[in-house]
Amino acid sequence: MADVARAASKPFTAARAKRLIGVSKAVAPLLAPYALAFAGVARSRWDAYRAGQLGVEPGQLSQYTGRGGALHARLSRIAETLQELEGGTGTHGTEDDKAFAAKVRPRLADLAVAVRAAGQMPTARRKTAYRAIAGELDRVEVELLTRLGVIG
């Protein structure tokens, strides 16, 4: 411990710099594979975290990047759920459910266009548009979950 404190208090000379460069040249090739492996693991964990936030598989994450990525992910999940609602058996897949899906699909298409258009707006307007789109998606999701029997 005293050696470390003493070494830190010594002035940084040209000889010390050459010695540190030599040590780093010898150690860097040994540590590089571990650093690359760590970076790969960190990236995959970050991708899994982001995919979990968006509710998609990590392999689909590249489809939902950018400013409106989260809204596009919500739109696609709602569209998938509508397909399940239409093709469902038992209490789902009724004529009423099919009519609801037919009514909602054009709204989802319009919202997807709105998300793409809002991506080109200035920041304040884009955020306002995204909030409005998210509110509309919230209403659609509540109605969809009610039809699925998740919300009473």
Side-chain angles (χ1 to χ4, degrees):
M1 188 72 170
D3 293 335
V4 173
R6 199 172 342 141
S9 66
K10 289 183 182 178
F12 198 72
T13 63
R16 276 188 81 195
K18 284 182 183 179
R19 191 174 328 123
L20 287 175
I21 291 172
V23 169
S24 66
K25 282 182 181 179
V27 173
L30 299 174
L31 296 180
Y34 297 109
L36 288 174
F38 175 77
V41 168
R43 178 59 192 230
S44 66
R45 285 192 181 174
W46 173 252
D47 286 347
Y49 170 75
R50 278 294 291 151
Q53 280 185 323
L54 294 176
V56 297
E57 296 294 321
Q60 297 175 325
L61 191 60
S62 64
Q63 297 172 8
Y64 305 110
T65 58
R67 293 180 175 148
L71 291 173
H72 282 296
R74 285 181 69 186
L75 284 164
S76 69
R77 285 194 320 263
I78 291 172
E80 290 170 7
T81 307
L82 281 176
Q83 286 179 344
E84 292 174 14
L85 180 68
E86 281 181 317
T89 57
T91 59
H92 305 302
T94 63
E95 291 302 318
D96 190 35
D97 290 338
K98 291 178 183 177
F100 169 74
K103 182 180 83 172
V104 170
R105 277 210 173 81
R107 281 172 53 191
L108 292 180
D110 291 343
L111 289 172
V113 170
V115 170
R116 284 191 296 275
Q120 305 302 316
M121 294 178 182
T123 303
R125 289 181 63 199
R126 181 180 64 246
K127 287 182 180 180
T128 302
Y130 282 172
R131 277 193 296 274
I133 294 166
E136 183 66 22
L137 287 176
D138 289 343
R139 287 187 285 280
V140 170
E141 285 174 339
V142 166
E143 192 171 348
L144 185 59
L145 290 174
T146 302
R147 288 186 175 277
L148 292 170
V150 176
I151 299 176

